[in-house]
Amino acid sequence: MKLTAKGAATRGRIIEGAAAEMRERGVAVTTLDDVRARTGTSKSQLFHYFPGGKEELLLAVARFEADQVLADQRPELGDLTSWDAWLAWRDTVVARYRGQGPQCPLNMLMSQLGRSTPGAQAVVAELLGKWQGEIAEGVRAMQRQGEIGPGVDPDRSAAALLAGIQGGVVVLLSTGRTTHLEAALDLGIQQLRDSATGSPTRHG
């Protein structure tokens, strides 16, 4: 459905309002009536933009929350061109998930949608693909400067670092502690630094 600028703005307002409602009340208990009340939207308007009802709206909110994961890491994620920048990004990631705490809106949305559904899988795949791509570009930038060894595969290294982050987030959701997330980031970045010399080194 092709939207006018006004229509796109209205649809975006509904999505943002629904996301805020679901963050406050929980995904499972938020109804379309709740979203309508929060956004000042009529029933006909809501179904005009989301003819598939709540499931379609949930998917749109999931995409919004996935985009927010990357937005919360900017500008650091897009500028991994020095070790100071990498450490600033590391701190941003930890702060983002520490602030979020044990409740992850995207995780709750995926559970509600069903992780095996094509739409939900596409949202997660797109998020991870973009995230991995930006980390990999940071690795390439550091290789061009001679700060990361030429034998390092940027895509595989980015995939491993991202897998470590995701594992750390899972532990955080279970325990409320960022220890594992911090360890995954610290060791992943340290291995990249060590690759320039070919042997582990200590950095103060």
Side-chain angles (χ1 to χ4, degrees), residues 59 62-63 66-67 106 110 113-130:
L59 198 55
R63 289 195 181 95
D67 289 342
L106 184 58
M110 290 298 105
L113 284 164
R115 295 178 186 278
S116 62
T117 62
Q121 287 183 335
V123 169
V124 174
E126 184 177 355
L127 167 62
L128 296 181
K130 287 180 180 178

Side-chain angles (χ1 to χ4, degrees), residues 141-153:
M142 298 297 279
Q143 282 180 319
R144 289 192 290 270
Q145 299 175 45
E147 296 287 346
I148 291 178
V152 170
D153 184 321

